[in-house]
Amino acid sequence: MVSPAIALAFIPFLMTLLIRYRYYFLLFWRAVILRKVQDYLTGLSREERAFQYVMTHSIPGDPENILSTFDAWCSHSEYLSNVGPEKGKILERLISENVPLTVLELGTYCGYSALRMARRLSPNARLYTVEMDEGNAALAEKIIRLAGFDEDTVEQIISPSDVVIPHLRERFEVDKFDFVFMNHWKRCYRRDLQLLEDHNLLQEGSIIVADSVIFTGAPHFMQYAKSCGKYSWKIHRTHLEYFRHIWDGMAELTFVGLK
């Protein structure tokens, strides 16, 4: 049995941990504990709860308002791993600067980042967004259409990314992608990048943006991007979505050609 004196000696240490990592504890509370409680009480997933809020409080046909409604929910109610407003603005800027005609998104989730990109596309551009979770894909489809984007602008593909990528050319008649946004499972980043290379879906100058390469990180992806000689790269230092005290980052790669 631990003596009271020893127990008391640990109090300053525990307090130091709580103070130093308080934002990570808050993230754990909102993303895990609160989620499980609300799942039990409502019988809905947090994505479904967010969807209901957005459908109730946003203005149809207004992407800016829909994004702001998402941000309000995620900031004040429950945490969703959307790309968020800070990283979303970087994503939009890169779309505007590069003016891609063919865009691939890996990880639609609730449709938030698809809206960010779609509203900056040129009139003749098209976004293909891939989501493996059928429930999330159904919600995202409604959000994207609510914002006013039709299938000629945003086409959703419901399937695992490693199943989709090898068949993109034959199924969707896409020759090359000018812009790729990765926001799905971090462990899949390197695999899917190499699949895009293997199936000749990138061209010189193609931009690949990968979210959350600092938190939670994608070390194998970054090691490959830095060492393979096929990309120039840089990191956009940002914060975790809806947690301005937790650092995160987005990687921007430019394809310079296969060796």
Side-chain angles (χ1 to χ4, degrees):
M1 184 175 179
V2 179
S3 70
I6 295 176
L8 286 172
F10 275 97
I11 291 178
F13 173 72
L14 293 174
M15 291 300 296
T16 300
L17 284 179
L18 285 171
I19 293 171
R20 183 173 182 178
Y21 296 104
R22 61 191 181 277
Y23 299 111
Y24 296 91
F25 287 122
L26 179 59
L27 173 61
F28 181 77
W29 166 258
R30 292 187 60 202
V32 179
I33 304 300
L34 183 60
R35 173 187 181 178
K36 290 184 179 297
V37 171
Q38 292 288 69
D39 286 354
Y40 176 77
L41 292 176
T42 65
L44 302 172
S45 69
R46 63 177 172 179
E47 292 80 14
E48 289 171 323
R49 293 191 291 274
F51 172 77
Q52 288 185 349
Y53 182 85
V54 171
M55 293 296 287
T56 303
H57 293 84
S58 62
I59 301 172
D62 187 341
E64 176 67 33
N65 179 264
I66 293 171
L67 290 166
S68 297
T69 306
F70 256 123
D71 291 335
W73 168 267
C74 296
S75 297
H76 306 296
S77 296
E78 295 184 63
Y79 175 79
L80 287 180
S81 54
N82 294 320
V83 70
E86 182 184 6
K87 289 186 284 187
K89 290 176 182 177
I90 295 173
L91 185 61
E92 290 186 44
R93 175 174 59 79
L94 292 174
I95 290 286
S96 297
E97 289 175 353
N98 291 281
V99 197
L101 293 180
T102 51
V103 179
L104 175 65
E105 177 181 39
L106 300 177
T108 314
Y109 193 38
C110 293
Y112 181 97
S113 51
L115 296 190
R116 287 274 180 188
M117 291 187 287
R119 68 180 186 155
R120 299 303 180 204
L121 293 177
S122 57
N124 55 340
R126 195 171 195 187
L127 166 62
Y128 299 86
T129 181
V130 179
E131 174 59 49
M132 66 177 292
D133 185 289
E134 293 184 2
N136 289 341
L139 300 180
E141 177 77 11
K142 294 175 183 177
I143 291 293
I144 292 166
R145 306 310 168 210
L146 179 71
F149 299 110
D150 60 23
E151 290 186 355
D152 290 333
T153 303
V154 182
E155 181 165 353
Q156 188 174 59
I157 305 168
I158 306 173
S159 186
S161 56
D162 61 326
V163 175
V164 171
I165 291 172
H167 303 288
L168 281 168
R169 180 172 283 110
E170 62 188 65
R171 285 183 56 193
F172 300 97
E173 299 181 349
V174 178
D175 184 39
K176 309 284 186 182
F177 284 103
D178 302 313
F179 195 100
V180 178
F181 179 50
M182 295 184 170
N183 192 28
H184 55 326
W185 294 105
K186 310 304 173 279
R187 65 176 180 269
C188 299
Y189 279 12
R190 174 173 174 169
R191 179 202 68 192
D192 289 348
L193 182 63
Q194 291 177 315
L195 278 174
L196 290 167
E197 295 171 1
D198 293 343
H199 292 276
N200 199 26
L201 288 165
L202 301 176
Q203 60 189 341
E204 186 174 349
S206 291
I207 303 296
I208 298 92
V209 177
D211 189 26
S212 298
V213 296
I214 295 177
F215 184 95
T216 53
H220 298 298
F221 168 81
M222 289 307 305
Q223 181 183 32
Y224 175 76
K226 293 175 182 179
S227 63
C228 70
K230 302 171 186 176
Y231 303 92
S232 61
W233 63 276
K234 61 182 175 181
I235 301 294
H236 298 275
R237 294 276 292 183
T238 64
H239 300 90
L240 182 67
E241 51 273 13
Y242 313 112
F243 279 86
R244 62 187 181 88
H245 296 285
I246 299 178
W247 282 104
D248 198 0
M250 302 173 78
E252 178 190 347
L253 314 182
T254 303
F255 186 64
V256 298
L258 295 170
K259 299 294 184 181

